[in-house]
């Protein structure tokens, strides 16, 4: 799916700003038929939850409504006219004046609605968007809605981060020529100094395709005709971690001597491969350093914010991180564009978090009922997961920064039914994208003895909390457990092994000379213990700490003001561990992990 951009043949109008806002219980029937009767306005992009002081809005179960007027530019006669929602979390119904023009389920992937037949160039219309924060067994992530003792509907879900919802990313109105480029797919490769870009272009309407590739100085380095082909680059400059290089691919759809449509995208030439226990980028072993993150800031919730994006990348670079995981859902496309431009490596994760009833069973890991059953994650959930994967790969397939798909966080891979649930999804992603390795991050109680599906995947990704949820305050015992755990996975799989979560909740300013949990010293010591263990295994392929920064969670007894496992606080101030990481990852302590593997 192509990102909407302005080109010589396409126009783009941004609809961000302040929209009228109300929850359904405070509106009459079919509220889209008129101006919303509400005193409230909400910022777009932003999650709506923390904008208002009213708890009934924050935790609302059911539809919320956004509305604004839109003016269609007068020059758009004869063009196709579309709305693009970069995200509506978790479902949306879109109305133009009185008419329902489209719907979408899935809170973190974009969708288009073609409104050509409903609106006119030069005219204005009323745009109303109903957005649902609800999580059920037909959404990804899944959740449960029940009627409680007070008669109100309550939402539960099986992940700790707060269920922020709303229009958290940009909304656009854009024009497309009737004959247009519908999709572009690139796969890159190289041999010595010669690089190539295999491309495939899909068009709507009859048109001949011609493509050209320019380097960063704007020099054309290769050209071709036809909707499928290979562009060869002599003396290629590769896209490398820490040293991004982007070519610009321009695609023209031509017919009757006229360029009907033109579209450009950035292309980084690089390869990704798993060989034995090694994760290779451009044929060279790559060791991941970095974080699991969240899209999470005060007031905005999961609202995309360019200032925070720039600052987060700065802080990651400052710590020496070379990568991050989009835990636990696809991030705004702007984040991947930024990673492409700055040579930051991304593990792109789906929103499939909480497919695990064992987590409800607490540390025993005993599910109250089977996870992979019609009661919870059944055929409908699997279908929603498959659709989510199609949309994720469709959006992100051309980003050089994306080197691996993580198709679920902590699923119950130890439970019966896990393999049957995941095997078709693995096959689907391999068909959609045969080039990138696959992984899922593994919950504590999915062990090398009981996991049922690792052989379907390329990389073993562990989430481990020895020293926190297990052996809290006893790092010596935690170290033994961790050592045995990693050894077990090496013996069982021979695949690259990475740690995608490890960490400790930490209260900035709390200190102790002893092994006291929640102190800054304990977080630093726990991370150092993990690193000591990782460094004993040459097969180890990477370390991403949980979490980059503190983040909002749902109410819960073991969360004090959110999840505090951040190396930075929620307002991005470093805890002591940040300085220790910087020494390790920038190689200031002698060993630089990325050089040794
Ligand atoms: C892991 C989850 C992550 C949580 C983390 C924690 O993958 O989303 O935030 O535990 O408890 O199980 O801090």
């Amino acid at each position: 799916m192509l990102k909407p951009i302005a080109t010589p043949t396409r126009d783009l109008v941004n609809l961000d700003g302040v929209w009228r806002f109300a929850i359904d219980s405070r509106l009459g029937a079919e509220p889209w038929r008129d101006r919303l009767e509400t005193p409230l306005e909400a910022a777009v992009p932003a999650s709506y939850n923390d904008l208002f002081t009213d708890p009934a809005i924050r935790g609302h179960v059911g539809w919320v409504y956004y509305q604004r007027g839109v003016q269609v530019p007068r020059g758009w006669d004869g063009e196709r006219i579309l709305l693009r929602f970069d995200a509506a979390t978790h479902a949306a119904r879109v109305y133009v004046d009185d008419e329902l023009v489209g719907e979408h389920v899935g809170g973190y992937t974009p969708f288009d609605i073609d409104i050509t037949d409903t609106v006119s160039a030069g005219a204005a219309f009323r745009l109303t968007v109903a957005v649902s924060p609800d999580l059920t067994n037909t959404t990804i992530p899944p959740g449960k809605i029940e009627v409680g003792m007070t008669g109100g509907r309550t939402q539960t879900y099986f992940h700790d981060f707060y269920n922020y919802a709303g229009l958290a990313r940009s909304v656009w109105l854009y024009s497309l020529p009737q004959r247009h480029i519908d999709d572009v797919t690139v796969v890159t490769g190289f041999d010595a100094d010669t690089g190539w870009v295999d491309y495939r272009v899909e068009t709507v309407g009859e048109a001949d395709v011609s493509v050209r590739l320019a380097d960063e100085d704007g020099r054309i380095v290769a050209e071709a005709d036809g909707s499928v082909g290979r562009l060869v680059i002599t003396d290629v400059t590769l896209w490398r971690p820490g040293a991004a290089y982007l070519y610009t691919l321009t695609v023209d759809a031509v017919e009757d001597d006229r360029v009907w449509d033109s579209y450009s995208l950035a292309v980084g030439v690089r390869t990704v491969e798993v060989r034995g226990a090694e994760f290779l980028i451009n044929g060279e072993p790559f060791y991941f350093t970095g974080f699991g993150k969240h899209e999470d800031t005060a007031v905005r919730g999961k609202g995309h914010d360019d200032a925070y994006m720039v600052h987060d990348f700065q802080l990651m670079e400052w710590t020496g991180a070379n990568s991050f995981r989009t835990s636990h859902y696809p991030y705004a496309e702007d984040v991947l564009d930024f990673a492409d431009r700055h040579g930051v490596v991304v593990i792109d994760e789906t929103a499939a978090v909480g497919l695990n009833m064992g987590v409800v069973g607490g540390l025993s890991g005993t599910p109250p009922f089977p996870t992979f059953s019609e009661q919870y994650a059944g055929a409908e959930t699997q279908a929603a997961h498959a659709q989510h994967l199609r949309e994720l790969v469709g959006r992100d397939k051309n980003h050089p920064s994306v080197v691996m798909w993580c198709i679920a966080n902590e699923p119950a891979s130890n439970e019966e039914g896990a393999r049957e649930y995941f095997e078709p999804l693995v096959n689907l992603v391999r068909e959609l994208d045969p080039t990138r390795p696959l992984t899922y991050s593994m919950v504590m109680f999915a062990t090398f003895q009981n996991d049922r599906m690792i052989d379907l995947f390329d990389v073993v990704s562990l989430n481990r909390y020895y020293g926190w949820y297990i052996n809290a305050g006893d790092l010596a015992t935690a170290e033994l457990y961790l050592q045995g755990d990693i050894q077990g996975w090496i013996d069982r799989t021979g695949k690259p092994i990475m740690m995608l979560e490890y960490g400790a909740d930490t209260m900035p300013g709390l200190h102790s000379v002893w092994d006291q949990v929640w102190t800054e010293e304990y977080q630093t010591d726990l991370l150092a213990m993990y690193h000591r263990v990782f460094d004993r295994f040459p097969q180890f392929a990477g370390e991403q700490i949980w979490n980059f920064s503190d983040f909002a969670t749902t109410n819960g007894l073991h969360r004090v003001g959110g999840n505090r496992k951040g190396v930075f606080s929620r307002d991005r101030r470093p805890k002591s561990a940040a300085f220790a990481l910087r020494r390790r990852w920038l190689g200031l302590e002698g060993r630089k992990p990325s050089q040794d593997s």
Side-chain angles (χ1 to χ4, degrees):
M1 181 181 217
L2 298 177
K3 183 178 171 166
I5 54 168
T7 78
T9 57
R10 296 167 174 231
D11 294 321
L12 185 63
V13 176
N14 181 264
L15 300 181
D16 295 352
V18 179
W19 295 39
R20 288 189 286 284
F21 179 88
I23 56 177
D24 58 358
S25 49
R26 296 182 186 166
L27 293 167
E30 308 197 333
W32 57 88
R33 291 188 182 275
D34 219 331
R35 193 184 160 89
L36 289 186
E37 272 191 51
T38 173
L40 300 178
E41 296 186 303
V44 176
S47 305
Y48 62 79
N49 313 76
D50 289 356
L51 297 179
F52 307 105
T53 51
D54 184 347
I57 298 178
R58 188 168 198 260
H60 182 64
V61 180
W63 295 98
V64 306
Y65 284 86
Y66 288 80
Q67 191 181 65
R68 62 164 286 162
V70 178
Q71 174 67 46
V72 183
R74 61 192 167 149
W76 288 13
D77 226 359
E79 302 295 295
R80 299 218 70 82
I81 301 170
L82 292 94
L83 287 165
R84 160 69 59 100
F85 293 86
D86 285 350
T89 319
H90 296 279
R93 288 184 186 155
V94 179
Y95 304 85
V96 165
D97 295 326
D98 289 355
E99 199 178 322
L100 175 69
V101 289
E103 299 184 58
H104 181 259
V105 179
Y108 303 99
T109 43
F111 58 97
D112 277 339
I113 297 178
D114 189 324
I115 54 171
T116 315
D117 298 335
T118 321
V119 301
S120 320
F125 65 90
R126 189 176 63 250
L127 174 61
T128 311
V129 188
V131 181
S132 165
D134 298 359
L135 296 174
T136 67
N137 66 347
T138 62
T139 59
I140 291 291
K144 256 186 185 314
I145 293 175
E146 283 152 325
V147 177
M149 283 171 77
T150 57
R153 298 202 306 151
T154 54
Q155 172 79 70
T156 42
Y157 43 88
F158 306 101
H159 51 78
D160 73 337
F161 62 93
Y162 186 75
N163 182 35
Y164 282 116
L167 296 176
R169 298 179 191 158
S170 290
V171 182
W172 309 88
L173 181 73
Y174 72 106
S175 74
L176 270 186
Q178 298 289 347
R179 299 182 200 197
H180 59 261
I181 298 155
D182 194 39
D183 200 13
V184 181
T185 307
V186 297
V187 174
T188 62
F190 68 96
D191 185 13
D193 290 341
T194 306
W196 56 83
V197 178
D198 289 330
Y199 69 90
R200 196 179 64 237
V201 177
E202 276 146 50
T203 55
V204 170
E206 276 294 297
D208 289 332
V209 168
S210 73
V211 299
R212 57 188 185 278
L213 194 69
D215 66 14
E216 286 193 349
D217 297 322
R219 267 192 314 259
I220 305 293
V221 294
E223 289 179 276
D225 289 323
S227 54
V228 180
R230 169 168 289 192
L231 292 161
V232 176
I233 313 159
T234 46
D235 266 333
V236 68
T237 306
L238 297 179
W239 185 96
R240 295 178 193 279
Y245 190 93
L246 294 173
Y247 292 90
T248 302
L249 176 72
T250 301
V251 181
D252 284 340
V254 188
E255 190 72 18
D256 305 329
D257 289 334
R258 175 174 163 190
V259 176
W260 283 90
D261 192 15
S262 186
Y263 189 89
S264 295
L265 81 155
V267 175
V269 178
R270 59 107 185 90
T271 59
V272 181
E273 191 191 337
V274 165
R275 198 185 302 144
E278 288 182 325
F279 194 100
L280 306 176
I281 299 183
N282 298 335
E284 289 165 19
F286 180 72
Y287 189 93
F288 295 76
T289 57
F291 303 94
K293 285 186 94 261
H294 265 299
E295 290 187 310
D296 177 274
T297 58
V299 186
R300 292 170 188 79
K302 297 206 173 305
H304 174 73
D305 182 289
D306 282 339
Y308 269 99
M309 174 181 73
V310 169
H311 192 55
D312 283 5
F313 274 91
Q314 280 283 301
L315 291 177
M316 285 194 279
E317 188 183 330
W318 178 87
T319 58
N322 60 19
S323 66
F324 66 95
R325 172 172 62 126
T326 70
S327 40
H328 293 310
Y329 36 82
Y331 290 2
E333 222 172 327
D334 315 62
V335 175
L336 299 181
D337 289 340
F338 197 95
D340 288 346
R341 292 196 299 275
H342 294 268
V344 178
V345 169
V346 178
I347 299 173
D348 204 351
E349 183 163 289
T350 66
V353 50
L355 291 172
N356 200 327
M357 280 298 114
V359 173
V360 183
L363 288 182
S364 74
T366 312
F369 53 82
T371 299
F372 300 102
S373 60
E374 286 313 314
Q375 221 170 336
Y376 188 56
E380 282 190 293
T381 317
Q382 192 194 36
H385 198 159
Q387 178 58 18
H388 177 59
L389 285 164
R390 279 185 212 103
E391 293 182 18
L392 173 67
V393 177
R395 189 193 74 163
D396 293 349
K397 62 188 173 187
N398 294 328
H399 286 284
S401 58
V402 173
V403 299
M404 178 155 66
W405 306 111
C406 181
I407 74 167
N409 181 68
E410 299 194 341
S413 62
N414 51 317
E415 271 188 56
E416 205 172 307
R419 199 180 177 85
E420 292 70 12
Y421 179 96
F422 275 98
E423 196 161 8
L425 299 179
V426 167
N427 293 341
L428 172 69
V429 187
R430 294 216 190 272
E431 192 186 309
L432 294 168
D433 176 13
T435 71
R436 289 181 180 85
L438 300 190
T439 196
Y440 58 102
S441 72
M442 218 162 320
V443 68
M444 284 281 282
F445 29 83
T447 67
F448 60 87
Q449 284 128 331
N450 67 15
D451 169 89
R452 295 163 184 254
M453 59 187 216
I454 190 60
D455 56 298
L456 302 173
F457 292 80
D458 306 298
V459 172
V460 179
S461 297
L462 304 176
N463 292 0
R464 293 297 185 254
Y465 287 97
Y466 302 116
W468 191 255
Y469 295 122
I470 293 178
N471 324 117
D474 178 2
L475 291 179
T477 308
E479 183 164 350
L480 295 175
Y481 273 116
L482 179 63
Q483 173 87 22
D485 194 343
I486 295 173
Q487 188 62 56
W489 283 104
I490 290 173
D491 296 344
R492 173 171 166 186
T493 68
K495 295 177 194 276
I497 298 180
M498 306 180 23
M499 194 62 70
L500 285 194
E501 284 188 27
Y502 58 113
D505 283 272
T506 305
M507 221 44 169
L510 195 65
H511 298 285
S512 175
V513 293
W514 304 292
D515 272 349
Q516 294 287 300
V517 294
W518 289 91
T519 61
E520 294 199 39
E521 289 74 21
Y522 191 75
Q523 184 184 37
T524 307
D525 291 349
L526 179 144
L527 298 179
M529 178 277 278
Y530 275 73
H531 296 153
R532 205 158 51 235
V533 175
F534 301 163
D535 291 350
R536 291 185 199 130
F537 294 103
Q539 301 85 340
F540 219 66
E543 53 196 56
Q544 290 189 339
I545 291 164
W546 193 253
N547 187 283
F548 170 74
S549 58
D550 296 347
F551 58 90
T553 54
T554 192
N555 273 341
L557 287 179
H558 62 301
R559 298 287 186 243
V560 185
N563 187 313
R564 300 299 195 109
K565 294 192 186 70
V567 165
F568 295 91
S569 60
R570 200 179 189 208
D571 61 357
R572 276 51 175 179
R573 291 169 198 266
K575 301 178 190 173
S576 302
F579 298 92
L581 281 180
R582 183 172 150 78
R583 287 194 292 277
R584 172 175 172 82
W585 288 345
L586 289 176
L588 308 179
E589 279 170 351
R591 180 187 195 276
K592 189 172 179 186
S594 51
Q595 288 173 341
D596 273 22
S597 51

